[in-house]
Every structure is written in structure tokens, then in C-alpha cells.
């Protein structure tokens, strides 16, 4: 059973870079899935941030693309997020998750990590 | 883009049936998946594909799609079903994922 766990600082200063790591257990990030970051903004809904697949190919939400880097480390079975120039608007619960998609149009996100709250504040 | 639109809030009497809808052009090409999110918990996949439930999801949850609208139906809503429900799919012109704005379900 695949499990994901986020780790990283819970507090980031404005204008700094938010860095999170997702450790995957019970499965390999080299498998045919898309390893994804999603956040839940306070009082708002879920926002897809981006994903990495085949260990190197990435896709990003256009609204975050200029500030976001997602990468994978197959040796550690981890993937990571770096979001630069953060502001209070980036305060959110950040989730890592596994995304599946096939040519029939079936696509789903499962499992999710438990989520980690990151607060941007001085 | 393929935005997904959900009603912000829906209510249902205990034991009754309720549907939550999700509308978007992208649903003509890609299936919607549905997630249940309770406070302090990670979202949980409850419906994917044509009408599939992951192991452990009660069969009172079902899904359907007609044209550009996907529906999540809860037949015999229970108190523990009170939660936020999100639909999710894929953009029709890119490889991006999209979420609906979420529907807050209240069980009366």
C-alpha cells in the first residue's frame, strides 16, 4: 500500500522560498504515475500546483509557474517542491499525492499525504 | 481552460438522497473524480471513472456523467457524510489538473 508523507518547515518568512519534500513508501516514484503537489488555501478550495512524472518531466499550474519547481529524487524515493518569493497568500495546507491518468479519460488522485500546514509570516 | 463549477453548499435530511453536481467542458473528454474532505483531514477519493469506488467506500456513494455535467449521489445520507466534496478532472487542452470550487454538504 503506497503511502506519502510531507515534511518541511511550518513557517516561512515572506519573500523566502518554501521547500517541502514528499517521501513515498510502498511503491516507487519511477512507476507510471504522476507525483503531484496540491494545496488548500484557507477559506478556499483545492489548488493543483504541479506534478512530476518519469522522474523528470514536469507540468505546473500557470498561475504558479514562474515561482515553482518540482523535482524527483529516485534514489531516495522522494519528490520535492520549491516555491519562491512567498507571501501571506501562500499560507496553506500543502499535500503531496499520486495522480493516475490513462487514455480512456480516467484520472484520479490517490493516495494523499496527510498534509502539512505552512504559514508565511514574519 | 477547463474550469469546473460546483454549487457552494447543499443540504440533505438524514437518510435522504442528495446529488452534488460539477459542470465543465472538460468533462466531455475526461471523467470526473470526487473527493470528500473533512476538517483536519486529507481529501479522500470516493468516486472515479464511470462509477467506481475505491475499496472501503460505502456503496451509498455513486457517480454519473451526462454531457458536461458530472454528479455525485449519496443515497441515504448519514451524519458522517457531512463534509466538503470536490470534483476533479483534467484540462482538455493541456496536461493540467483542475478542481471544482467544492460543495459543502450539510446533513440535517
Amino acid at each position: 500500500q503506497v503511502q506519502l508523507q510531507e515534511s518541511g518547515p511550518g513557517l516561512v518568512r515572506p519573500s523566502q522560498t518554501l521547500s517541502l519534500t514528499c517521501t513515498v513508501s510502498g511503491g516507487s516514484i519511477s512507476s507510471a504515475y504522476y507525483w503531484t503537489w496540491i494545496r488548500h488555501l484557507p477559506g478556499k478550495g483545492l489548488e493543483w500546483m504541479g506534478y512530476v512524472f518519469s522522474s523528470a518531466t514536469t507540468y505546473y499550474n500557470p498561475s504558479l509557474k514562474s515561482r515553482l519547481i518540482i523535482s524527483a529524487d529516485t534514489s531516495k524515493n522522494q519528490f520535492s517542491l520549491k516555491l519562491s518569493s512567498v507571501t501571506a497568500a501562500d499560507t496553506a495546507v500543502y499535500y503531496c499525492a499520486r495522480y493516475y491518468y490513462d487514455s480512456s479519460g480516467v484520472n484520479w488522485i490517490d493516495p494523499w499525504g496527510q498534509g502539512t500546514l505552512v504559514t508565511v509570516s514574519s | 481552460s477547463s474550469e469546473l463549477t460546483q454549487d457552494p453548499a447543499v443540504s440533505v435530511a438524514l437518510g435522504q438522497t442528495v446529488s452534488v453536481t460539477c459542470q465543465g467542458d472538460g468533462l466531455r473528454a475526461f471523467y470526473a473524480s470526487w473527493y470528500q474532505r473533512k476538517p483536519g483531514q486529507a481529501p479522500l477519493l470516493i468516486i472515479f471513472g464511470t462509477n467506481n469506488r475505491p475499496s472501503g467506500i460505502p456503496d451509498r456513494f455513486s457517480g454519473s456523467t451526462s454531457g458536461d455535467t458530472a454528479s455525485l449521489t449519496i443515497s441515504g445520507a448519514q451524519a458522517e457524510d457531512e463534509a466538503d466534496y470536490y470534483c476533479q478532472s483534467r484540462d482538455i487542452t493541456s496536461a493540467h489538473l483542475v478542481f471544482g470550487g467544492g460543495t459543502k454538504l450539510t446533513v440535517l
Side-chain angles (χ1 to χ4, degrees):
Chain A
Q1 179 179 353
V2 175
Q3 294 183 313
L4 293 85
Q5 177 68 59
E6 306 88 353
S7 59
L11 178 66
V12 181
R13 304 302 181 192
S15 80
Q16 299 301 302
T17 296
L18 183 163
S19 297
L20 296 173
T21 296
C22 182
T23 301
V24 179
S25 59
S28 171
I29 66 167
S30 298
S31 57
Y33 292 98
Y34 300 71
W35 303 95
T36 301
W37 287 99
I38 296 158
R39 65 182 182 178
H40 186 254
L41 300 162
K44 297 184 180 181
L46 298 170
E47 179 180 50
W48 171 71
M49 300 182 71
Y51 56 63
V52 58
F53 73 102
S54 297
S55 302
T57 302
T58 53
Y59 282 92
Y60 299 129
N61 187 319
S63 70
L64 299 170
K65 187 175 183 178
S66 64
R67 300 193 291 133
L68 181 61
I69 297 174
I70 296 175
S71 59
D73 185 337
T74 55
S75 68
K76 297 181 179 179
N77 218 36
Q78 295 175 333
F79 62 106
S80 300
L81 168 154
K82 292 186 185 298
L83 183 66
S84 62
S85 304
V86 298
T87 70
D90 294 309
T91 294
V93 177
Y94 288 77
Y95 297 98
C96 61
R98 182 181 68 174
Y99 173 62
Y100 171 83
Y101 160 73
D102 70 33
S103 58
S104 74
V106 173
N107 67 115
W108 45 258
I109 303 168
D110 183 72
W112 299 58
Q114 66 182 26
T116 186
L117 174 63
V118 179
T119 301
V120 179
S121 175
S122 55
Chain B
S1 67
S2 297
E3 296 181 352
L4 298 176
T5 301
Q6 297 182 242
D7 291 329
V10 171
S11 62
V12 60
L14 184 68
Q16 297 303 301
T17 296
V18 63
S19 290
V20 178
T21 60
C22 172
Q23 187 274 330
D25 288 342
L27 298 181
R28 298 182 185 278
F30 301 105
Y31 291 101
S33 290
W34 290 93
Y35 305 85
Q36 177 192 69
R37 187 178 185 271
K38 296 181 179 179
Q41 297 182 18
L44 176 68
L45 175 67
I46 56 174
I47 293 289
F48 66 95
T50 51
N51 180 19
N52 301 293
R53 287 175 286 105
S55 174
I57 302 302
D59 61 6
R60 63 178 180 273
F61 291 95
S62 63
S64 63
T65 301
S66 177
D68 67 351
T69 301
S71 298
L72 169 70
T73 299
I74 307 173
S75 303
Q78 303 299 302
E80 61 264 33
D81 298 335
E82 188 161 286
D84 294 329
Y85 290 86
Y86 292 89
C87 61
Q88 169 266 318
S89 190
R90 186 178 177 95
D91 190 277
I92 57 176
T93 59
S94 71
H96 304 157
L97 307 189
V98 290
F99 286 98
T103 297
K104 182 177 181 58
L105 176 67
T106 300
V107 180
L108 304 172

